[in-house]
């Protein structure tokens, strides 16, 4: 075991000397946590509205005013005809067209109902969907208003007084950062554990030093542990930096006990290091490792529920998502930090990650024996 | 004759249908400098990698210090040294850190390590560079350092794979002085090389052509037998008969 001390000392010395790793350790969590949640913000404000008002009535003007006063829309184009408004959309100057037909007010008053058309630019489907949803809400509210105005108050109100008040649990203000930040934290420690570690092993192959190691009495498990332990430590440091950034910038404080996040990360990192090890057995140089890693990164991030809920994925994608350890990590970190899950709540995940760990590490060690 | 430290019998390595090393056999004796020569692609690196346990042979047997390389690898590893074709020290570590690391994994500790570091620095005149990263040293020094690190645990046999590639003649000369010194201490040296002047420095040379042993003798005997002036001509005549090119 005392031989191992020398192996470990050498690994830590090498990492300390490597300015790229040190810089990545500090810069990546900070930049990703600052930039990504803002860039990937789903809450959309200030959408450009094009209005085709064929009615020019009090009510039509009131509706337009309500739309722009909501804060979600700004009037970007006041078109004389629908084709003209559509052109504005094509020029990317408008996201949503509100078409108010002629006789809107008359129909509303006389026939107790009028039709409106809302056309959304759905090239960005999230934006398109949201803009329609917001517009729908505003129009409904407008509708309720005018109906209430007209009512001759009878003894019992014919207007539905029962309304649904949505209660959003755990994230009452639908703060997108609260949702994104824990997810990004999970992805970050995955990167450190798998890709940085694989690069490090491949570097030894590239430099030829691995040959030298192989003729020395160092046992394979000692060599591999020597590679894994420093990156395990780096992963935990990244997590800590990430949590500090989350608190300082977003004021996010974990609702659940932080030790659960740490304990689970410690466990999770072992599984992820297995992935790194596995990649390193497939690659002979850092370029190859980068390409293999790139493939995994795409799958890991897109299929992890970081952006889109796993539950709403199609069947085949669900299969991939559930075969992706990052999915579970994100669920646990979000569960603890946002919902306040405790250790007992995440226990099933410990089992799943344990299975991943055995699988990846086992496969990597097996491949490692074969290749070297 | 002296004690045989390496016995190679019927050693063969096939990569698919290509036979890189074809049933070779020879003995290396204690304390000698054994030169292993061959053109590129003649199979010398492959053979050497099998002999020091880095590569599993397709068939045949290798015994190092009387131990079978296939089954007693761990015991053998403690007693051999190796310097690969690629540079074998860690560029990003200092001289001291490299010596500590390689010494430490061979079981050297505290005082003994310090002694080695001092000895090494003294031998190479590196005292003031001992805490510099290895990458800042000139190639010649790096190679000499790598050699001394490869033998710092006093192995019985040391394998050197083209140790003087890309080094200037003066440094090569100094390098061979280090090799002689090691041989005098009783370390058996197994060295591959391209340089025919270096072949002259060896006690015996083995010339490989197309995966076979084409000649194996003392350099002066080979020259005499083939009626050539220099090893260069000997090698040239043997290698010309080669069928395959790399």
């Amino acid at each position: 075991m005392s031989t191992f001390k020398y192996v470990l000392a050498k690994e830590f010395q090498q990492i300390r000397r490597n300015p790229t790793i040190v810089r990545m350790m500090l810069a990546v969590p900070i930049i990703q946590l600052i930039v990504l949640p803002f860039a990937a913000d789903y809450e959309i404000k200030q959408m450009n509205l094009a209005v085709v008002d064929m009615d020019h009535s009090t009510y039509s003007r009131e509706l337009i005013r309500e739309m722009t006063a909501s804060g979600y829309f700004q009037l970007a184009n006041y078109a004389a005809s629908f084709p003209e408004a559509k052109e504005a959309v094509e020029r990317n100057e408008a996201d949503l067209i509100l078409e108010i037909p002629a006789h809107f007010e008359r129909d509303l008053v006389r026939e107790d109902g009028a039709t409106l058309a809302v056309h959304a630019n759905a090239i960005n489907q999230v934006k398109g969907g949201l803009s329609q949803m917001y517009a729908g809400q505003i129009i409904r509210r407008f509708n309720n208003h005018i109906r209430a105005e007209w009512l001759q108050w009878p003894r019992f109100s014919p207007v539905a007084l029962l309304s649904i008040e949505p209660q959003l649990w755990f994230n009452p203000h639908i703060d997108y950062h609260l949702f994104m930040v824990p997810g990004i934290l999970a992805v970050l420690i995955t990167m450190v554990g798998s890709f940085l570690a694989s690069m490090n092993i491949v570097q030894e192959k590239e430099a030829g030093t691995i040959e030298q190691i192989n003729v020395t009495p160092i046992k394979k498990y000692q060599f591999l542990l020597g590679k894994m332990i420093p990156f395990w430590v780096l992963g935990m440091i990244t997590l800590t930096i990430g949590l500090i950034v989350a608190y300082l910038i977003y004021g996010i404080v974990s609702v659940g006990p932080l030790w659960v996040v740490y304990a689970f990360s410690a466990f999770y990192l072992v599984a992820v290091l297995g992935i790194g090890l596995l990649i390193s057995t497939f690659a002979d140089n850092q370029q190859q490792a980068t390409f293999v890693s790139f493939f995994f990164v795409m799958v890991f991030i897109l299929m992890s529920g970081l952006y889109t809920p796993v539950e709403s994925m199609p069947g085949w994608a669900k299969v991939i998502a559930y075969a992706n350890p990052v999915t579970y990590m994100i669920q646990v970190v979000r569960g603890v930090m946002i919902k306040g899950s405790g250790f007992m709540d995440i226990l099933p995940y410990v089992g799943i990650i344990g299975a991943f760990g055995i699988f990846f590490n086992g496969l990597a060690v097996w491949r490692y024996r074969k290749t070297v | 004759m002296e004690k045989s430290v390496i016995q190679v019998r019927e050693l063969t390595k096939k990569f698919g249908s290509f036979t890189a090393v074809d049933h070779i056999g020879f003995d290396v004796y204690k304390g000698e400098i054994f030169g292993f020569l061959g053109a590129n692609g003649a199979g010398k690196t492959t053979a050497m990698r099998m002999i020091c346990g880095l590569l599993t042979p397709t068939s045949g047997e290798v015994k190092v210090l009387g131990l079978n390389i296939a089954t007693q690898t761990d015991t053998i590893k403690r007693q051999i040294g190796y310097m690969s074709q690629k540079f074998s020290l860690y560029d990003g570590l200092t001289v001291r850190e490299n010596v500590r690391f390689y010494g430490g994994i061979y079981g050297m500790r505290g005082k003994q390590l310090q002694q080695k570091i001092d000895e090494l620095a003294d031998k190479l005149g590196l005292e003031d560079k001992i805490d510099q990263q290895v990458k800042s040293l000139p190639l010649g020094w790096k190679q000499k350092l790598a050699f001394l690190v490869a033998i710092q645990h006093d192995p019985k046999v040391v394998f050197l794979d083209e140790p003087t590639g890309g080094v200037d003649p003066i440094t090569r000369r100094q390098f061979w002085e280090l090799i002689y010194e090691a041989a005098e201490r009783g370390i058996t040296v197994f060295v591959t090389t391209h340089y025919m002047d270096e072949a002259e420095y060896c006690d015996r040379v083995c010339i490989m052509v197309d995966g076979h042993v084409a000649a194996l003798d003392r350099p002066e005997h080979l020259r005499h037998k083939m009626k050539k002036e220099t090893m260069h001509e000997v090698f040239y005549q043997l290698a010309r008969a080669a069928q395959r090119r790399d």
Side-chain angles (χ1 to χ4, degrees):
Chain A
M1 210 53 208
S2 58
T3 303
F4 185 60
K5 200 180 73 188
Y6 287 88
V7 176
L8 210 53
K10 168 228 159 210
E11 295 298 339
F12 275 110
Q13 279 160 351
Q14 278 186 303
I15 288 173
R16 218 186 49 220
R17 291 282 158 69
N18 189 334
T20 321
I21 291 186
V22 177
R23 254 179 255 144
M24 271 182 76
M25 284 292 313
L26 294 170
V28 170
I30 295 173
I31 292 172
Q32 290 218 342
L33 280 174
I34 293 174
V35 173
L36 277 184
F38 280 115
D41 196 334
Y42 278 178
E43 208 188 347
I44 291 167
K45 290 171 193 143
Q46 296 294 313
M47 280 177 287
N48 290 321
L49 177 71
V51 173
V52 186
D53 186 0
M54 310 292 248
D55 197 36
H56 299 287
S57 59
T58 324
Y59 278 135
S60 74
R61 270 189 296 270
E62 197 174 315
L63 176 60
I64 294 164
R65 201 186 47 76
E66 287 238 10
M67 291 283 277
T68 49
S70 69
Y72 291 116
F73 299 100
Q74 58 187 12
L75 192 59
N77 189 300
Y78 199 86
S81 67
F82 182 71
E84 198 180 302
K86 208 176 148 204
E87 256 172 53
V89 171
E90 279 161 6
R91 283 195 307 269
N92 223 357
E93 286 166 13
D95 304 304
L96 189 82
I97 304 174
L98 174 69
E99 197 183 357
I100 305 172
H103 315 304
F104 169 69
E105 190 181 78
R106 193 192 68 192
D107 291 351
L108 202 60
V109 176
R110 284 205 200 147
E111 290 167 31
D112 198 19
T115 326
L116 280 167
V118 173
H119 310 266
N121 173 9
I123 285 178
N124 179 339
Q125 55 131 341
V126 175
K127 202 171 176 182
L130 278 177
S131 66
Q132 260 196 329
M133 202 184 80
Y134 293 149
Q137 277 174 1
I138 295 164
I139 293 166
R140 246 191 316 281
R141 200 166 50 214
F142 171 76
N143 189 22
N144 285 348
H145 267 198
I146 49 176
R147 287 182 162 264
E149 262 176 40
W150 292 340
L151 276 174
Q152 305 289 317
W153 287 97
R155 201 160 140 56
F156 297 102
S157 166
V159 179
L161 288 177
L162 267 179
S163 68
I164 298 166
E165 277 289 316
Q167 277 277 333
L168 296 163
W169 280 14
F170 309 124
N171 191 357
H173 305 297
I174 328 182
D175 181 354
Y176 197 66
H177 304 143
L178 193 55
F179 177 71
M180 279 311 279
V181 168
I184 290 170
L185 268 178
V187 171
L188 273 177
I189 74 164
T190 309
M191 301 288 164
V192 172
S194 55
F195 309 127
L196 281 188
S198 78
M199 290 294 214
N200 187 287
I201 299 173
V202 171
Q203 223 166 14
E204 294 239 6
K205 279 195 193 177
E206 230 173 25
T209 42
I210 200 158
E211 289 257 288
Q212 194 69 41
I213 296 296
N214 283 334
V215 293
T216 67
I218 296 182
K219 303 258 188 307
K220 278 193 178 135
Y221 80 87
Q222 290 176 324
F223 175 73
L224 293 179
L225 272 181
K227 289 289 175 198
M228 288 169 83
I229 291 172
F231 285 94
W232 184 90
V233 173
L234 288 188
M236 297 305 264
I237 295 175
T238 305
L239 176 69
T240 308
I241 295 175
L243 286 170
I244 294 170
V245 172
Y247 171 71
L248 290 181
I249 295 184
Y250 303 106
I252 295 174
V253 182
S254 178
V255 179
L258 261 186
W259 73 264
V260 177
V261 175
Y262 272 94
F264 191 79
S265 302
F267 195 63
Y268 172 77
L269 269 168
V270 176
V272 162
L273 283 163
I275 299 173
L277 223 55
L278 192 60
I279 292 174
S280 75
T281 66
F282 284 109
D284 289 324
N285 55 51
Q286 294 188 64
Q287 267 170 2
Q288 287 173 10
T290 311
F291 278 114
V292 179
S293 299
F294 187 71
F295 168 76
F296 277 103
V297 174
M298 295 297 279
V299 176
F300 278 172
I301 294 182
L302 293 177
M303 295 295 200
S304 65
L306 177 62
Y307 295 107
T308 41
V310 175
E311 290 75 13
S312 57
M313 288 180 185
W316 60 269
K318 262 188 207 170
V319 173
I320 299 175
Y322 286 125
N324 177 358
V326 185
T327 307
Y328 303 99
M329 183 65 194
I330 290 180
Q331 286 180 6
V332 168
V333 179
R334 279 183 183 155
V336 175
M337 290 187 67
I338 305 174
K339 202 165 73 179
S341 299
F343 185 67
M344 292 317 282
D345 301 309
I346 63 150
L347 213 52
Y349 292 93
V350 174
I352 295 170
I353 292 301
F356 272 116
I358 292 168
F359 174 73
F360 286 125
N361 284 289
L363 195 63
V365 169
W366 177 74
R367 284 234 3 134
Y368 190 81
R369 275 163 183 275
K370 245 182 74 171
T371 48
V372 185
Chain B
M1 202 135 188
E2 306 113 291
K3 206 177 125 208
S4 158
V5 287
I6 301 173
Q7 293 165 306
V8 178
R9 299 285 177 268
E10 297 293 311
L11 188 65
T12 303
K13 182 71 191 182
K14 289 184 177 164
F15 296 106
S17 61
F18 175 72
T19 309
V21 175
D22 197 358
H23 296 88
I24 61 167
F26 54 81
D27 282 76
V28 179
Y29 302 106
K30 188 171 185 312
E32 77 172 334
I33 300 174
F34 188 85
F36 206 54
L37 279 53
N40 288 332
K44 57 182 189 321
T45 297
T46 309
M48 182 175 188
R49 286 167 55 91
M50 286 191 283
I51 295 167
C52 53
L54 280 172
L55 202 64
T56 319
T58 311
S59 65
E61 192 190 58
V62 178
K63 278 191 174 170
V64 176
L65 306 163
L67 303 165
N68 190 325
I69 192 83
T71 51
Q72 291 161 292
T73 324
D74 285 347
T75 326
I76 294 175
K77 278 182 177 175
R78 299 210 151 267
Q79 306 188 47
I80 61 170
Y82 175 75
M83 183 181 159
S84 71
Q85 208 166 15
K86 287 186 179 179
F87 184 60
S88 54
L89 298 178
Y90 289 96
D91 251 354
L93 299 185
T94 65
V95 176
R96 185 194 302 279
E97 286 162 346
N98 268 293
V99 175
R100 278 186 67 86
F101 170 63
Y102 281 115
I105 59 182
Y106 281 106
M108 291 186 186
R109 294 294 174 264
K111 246 202 190 128
Q112 207 184 350
L113 271 174
Q114 190 51 50
Q115 214 178 336
K116 270 287 163 198
I117 293 168
D118 295 341
E119 197 184 300
L120 225 134
D122 185 49
K123 210 177 254 179
L124 291 176
L126 272 175
E127 287 92 342
D128 53 331
K129 299 204 165 65
I130 202 87
D131 285 313
Q132 272 185 24
Q133 293 187 26
V134 169
K135 65 177 160 218
S136 68
L137 300 177
L139 182 68
W141 272 2
K142 283 197 216 175
Q143 299 290 71
K144 284 187 278 183
L145 183 64
F147 175 67
L148 292 179
V149 168
I151 59 164
Q152 68 168 335
H153 59 289
D154 288 319
K156 301 247 167 53
V157 189
V158 64
F159 295 90
L160 310 173
D161 193 4
E162 289 176 24
T164 53
V167 173
D168 67 74
I170 299 164
T171 315
R172 262 170 55 200
R173 188 82 204 202
Q174 294 169 339
F175 196 93
W176 274 88
E177 276 161 23
L178 291 175
I179 292 180
Y180 274 120
E181 229 173 274
E184 269 162 37
R185 268 162 55 196
I187 299 176
T188 308
V189 180
F190 186 108
V191 56
T192 71
T193 180
H194 276 310
Y195 299 108
M196 288 308 129
D197 57 328
E198 291 186 354
E200 303 274 5
Y201 303 149
C202 299
D203 293 319
R204 285 195 307 149
V205 293
C206 171
I207 300 178
M208 283 199 67
V209 176
D210 286 353
H212 298 276
V213 174
L216 171 62
D217 211 332
R218 302 182 71 83
E220 59 270 27
H221 289 177
L222 280 179
R223 283 199 315 258
H224 196 251
K225 233 187 322 193
M226 296 178 68
K227 301 187 173 52
K228 299 289 181 197
E229 286 290 309
T230 61
M231 273 309 289
H232 189 86
E233 290 168 41
V234 171
F235 180 77
Y236 195 69
Q237 182 170 340
L238 289 167
R240 215 167 29 185
Q243 298 297 308
R244 70 188 192 213
R245 286 272 168 267
D246 57 326

